[in-house]
Amino acid sequence: MAANNIYLGLVHYPVYNKFGDIVTTSITNMDVHDISRTCLTYGVKKYFLINPLASQKDLYQKIIGFWNSETGQNYQPDRASALQQIQFCNTLQEAISIIKTQENAEPLLVTTTARDTKGQVAYGDFSGIVGDKPVLLLFGTGYGLADEIHSQSDFTLKPIKITDDYNHLSVRSAVAIILDRLIPKNTGGIDGYTASCKQRAN
Ligand code: SAM
């Protein structure tokens, strides 16, 4: 059962490549599996794979088809249940429409990035801003979300940054860390987390 009102989107277009061009990236097996398991663990309502290419939809269907087959089910039945969370969409707009139909409300669009930009929101302020509204939390592939996605968003979260030297995480790690920071847990949630950090510091 979903424990919050968060939907997650992994955007394959429009994203940057290393030259700063806008491109479509390919779906990767690891992003399909690992992110769906993290989403299920954190009670995310749906995981949208956003990619406009028919060839990529075919690839996604092959992956899902295998894990839903008798061979896949016998090998690892848990995989198929995590993968049921995924919905393939051609565009961001399609994902937004699905949420609107499901929630009867427009979702807040929240983007993520490793870069510092103006007006980014701290993790601790997230729940106060979103309340119980549905949220579509967007992550990039390639070299990150195109600016046109950030400018459509309601806000961007501050980057995860622990040292000043390096903070370019794989998208799978970024998803896990950010969900853990945003979603209150029945083991004490963010307050429990803050308390345990203080305890360690003392
Ligand atoms: N091919 C790459 C991979 O190994 O996963 C994709 C990199 S893609 C640019 C990583 C995405 O994860 C970013 O678009 C952003 O959504 C998120 N991300 C990475 N590092 C982050 C950070 N330090 N803070 C917040 N989000 C981050």
Side-chain angles (χ1 to χ4, degrees):
M1 198 206 299
N4 56 69
N5 218 357
I6 294 182
Y7 293 77
L8 190 142
L10 183 63
V11 177
H12 296 81
Y13 175 86
V15 293
Y16 293 116
N17 68 8
K18 68 176 181 178
F19 305 111
D21 306 318
I22 291 188
V23 294
T24 306
T25 53
S26 303
I27 281 170
T28 75
N29 208 16
M30 278 189 302
D31 290 345
V32 173
H33 284 284
D34 293 359
I35 295 176
S36 68
R37 291 160 72 172
T38 306
C39 285
L40 190 59
T41 301
Y42 279 84
V44 167
K45 284 186 157 175
K46 219 176 251 303
Y47 166 28
F48 295 103
L49 284 175
I50 300 167
N51 193 309
L53 299 178
S55 59
Q56 294 298 300
K57 188 169 187 179
D58 288 348
L59 176 61
Y60 155 75
Q61 281 169 336
K62 270 193 192 131
I63 297 171
I64 298 289
F66 171 75
W67 290 105
N68 281 327
S69 71
E70 203 181 329
T71 317
Q73 285 281 349
N74 287 340
Y75 181 73
Q76 175 57 280
D78 281 358
R79 282 291 167 97
S81 45
L83 295 174
Q84 274 168 14
Q85 284 223 292
I86 303 179
Q87 181 137 10
F88 192 99
C89 288
N90 292 323
T91 61
L92 172 59
Q93 206 45 53
E94 198 181 320
I96 294 171
S97 301
I98 291 168
I99 300 173
K100 265 164 83 173
T101 306
Q102 189 151 326
E103 301 288 337
N104 226 351
E106 185 92 29
L108 289 173
L109 279 194
V110 178
T111 53
T112 59
T113 175
R115 285 182 295 139
D116 289 305
T117 55
K118 278 195 189 140
Q120 291 174 326
V121 165
Y123 296 91
D125 295 334
F126 175 83
S127 61
I129 295 173
V130 307
D132 57 6
K133 292 191 191 107
V135 172
L136 176 54
L137 189 56
L138 294 174
F139 291 83
T141 55
Y143 277 63
L145 293 169
D147 285 343
E148 64 185 85
I149 299 284
H150 287 300
S151 56
Q152 273 182 64
S153 74
D154 291 279
F155 62 87
T156 300
L157 288 167
K158 281 188 188 291
I160 299 157
K161 205 176 203 180
I162 307 299
T163 72
D164 287 333
D165 300 330
Y166 190 87
N167 76 332
H168 297 280
L169 295 162
S170 75
V171 69
R172 297 164 298 286
S173 303
V175 166
I177 295 167
I178 290 175
L179 290 181
D180 198 68
R181 288 185 178 190
L182 296 183
I183 296 178
K185 296 173 280 290
N186 55 13
T187 48
I190 195 74
D191 294 337
Y193 171 76
T194 312
S196 76
C197 289
K198 276 190 189 144
Q199 237 170 16
R200 269 180 274 147
N202 288 334

